[in-house]
């Protein structure tokens, strides 16, 4: 298994509070991604990073920000959590030099916003 | 806009049966196609990656094919086992920018009955 960890694995928070989720990889892959998974919507890309300090938006980026200060860490921040952001969040990694962008996923973080 | 469809949404088969899962996509200009498995409450496990120049990939009892011109991929599972019960997701990689971003189908939930 690819070395990807996510923390926390579970979190309950209140509406309006900021929340930061962390993704850590030990594979030295260049690209990192944050997805959310919801019933009826499947997996949707929130933000991705193509290098240290290089990030871009995905299809559902409103209300989220990201940062990548080191190759191994990619942080997802919900600036002011809302109930619509209750979801399971997955981090993934890939690298063009490793099996041509094959993506590997972390175990997920289940976030509940009350 | 690329759309990925997986039909059926759910499938139940007796143990030992050979089966085919289907994935279709609307834009044939893809970079790659990846099949994943997801067990309940878990992350995604990469099963097979097919580059756009390839027609198929095999791993053990799994065989994935790709027909870009018709916008279709199939995942063939030979001699199914109860342990194959899971949700299978198909994802298509975009061509532009070579960022590795994936568009996911909603998955087929497979149940293999003993």
């Amino acid at each position: 298994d690819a070395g990807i960890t996510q923390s926390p694995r579970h979190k309950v928070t209140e509406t309006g509070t900021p929340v930061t989720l962390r993704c850590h990889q030990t594979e030295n892959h260049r690209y990192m991604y944050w997805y959310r998974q919801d019933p009826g919507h499947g997996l949707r890309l929130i933000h991705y990073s193509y290098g240290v300090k290089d990030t871009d938006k995905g299809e559902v980026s409103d209300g989220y920000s990201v940062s990548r200060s080191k190759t191994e860490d990619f942080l997802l921040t919900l600036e002011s959590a809302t109930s619509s952001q209750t979801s399971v969040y997955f981090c993934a990694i890939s690298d063009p030099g490793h099996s041509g962008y094959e993506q590997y996923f972390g175990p997920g973080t289940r976030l509940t916003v009350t | 806009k690329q759309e990925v469809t997986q039909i059926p949404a759910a499938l139940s088969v007796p143990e030992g049966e050979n089966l085919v899962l289907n994935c279709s996509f609307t834009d044939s200009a893809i970079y790659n196609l990846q099949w994943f498995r997801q067990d309940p409450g878990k992350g995604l496990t990469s099963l097979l990656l097919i580059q756009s120049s390839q027609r198929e990939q095999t791993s053990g009892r799994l065989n994935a094919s790709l027909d870009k011109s018709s916008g279709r991929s199939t995942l063939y599972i030979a001699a199914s086992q109860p342990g194959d019960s899971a949700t299978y997701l198909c994802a298509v990689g975009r061509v532009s920018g070579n960022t590795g971003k994936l568009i996911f189908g909603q998955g087929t939930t497979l149940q293999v009955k003993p």
Side-chain angles (χ1 to χ4, degrees), chain A residues 11-44:
Chain A
K11 185 169 183 67
V12 179
T13 191
E14 293 184 349
T15 298
T17 60
V19 176
T20 296
L21 309 182
R22 179 182 185 237
C23 177
H24 179 79
Q25 60 145 329
T26 58
E27 306 297 320
N28 200 35
H29 279 32
R30 178 182 172 190
Y31 290 86
M32 299 185 75
Y33 314 84
W34 276 108
Y35 294 90
R36 59 179 290 175
Q37 186 175 37
D38 304 288
H41 291 279
L43 275 146
R44 294 177 292 174

Side-chain angles (χ1 to χ4, degrees), chain A residues 50-67:
Chain A
Y50 47 97
V52 173
K53 294 188 179 3
D54 294 322
T55 65
D56 204 352
K57 296 178 180 180
E59 60 181 306
V60 289
S61 59
D62 287 348
Y64 301 95
S65 63
V66 290
S67 65

Side-chain angles (χ1 to χ4, degrees), chain B residues 4-86:
Chain B
V4 181
T5 303
Q6 292 184 248
I7 296 173
L11 183 63
S12 181
V13 300
E15 181 178 4
E17 191 164 298
N18 301 326
L19 59 101
V20 174
L21 305 181
N22 297 298
C23 172
S24 62
F25 46 95
T26 54
D27 186 346
S28 62
I30 65 171
Y31 186 81
N32 56 24
L33 186 144
Q34 197 166 351
W35 282 93
F36 296 88
R37 168 188 173 134
Q38 185 175 30
D39 294 292
K42 304 293 186 181
L44 280 69
T45 299
S46 178
L47 296 174
L48 290 164
L49 172 73
I50 309 177
Q51 301 295 348
S52 61
S53 59
Q54 298 174 322
R55 292 299 298 259
E56 66 177 338
Q57 283 286 341
T58 298
S59 177
R61 294 182 294 107
L62 305 179
N63 176 277
S65 67
L66 174 64
D67 184 344
K68 280 200 310 178
S69 61
S70 67
R72 293 186 178 186
S73 176
T74 61
L75 179 67
Y76 175 83
I77 303 176
S80 59
Q81 304 169 357
D84 294 330
S85 299

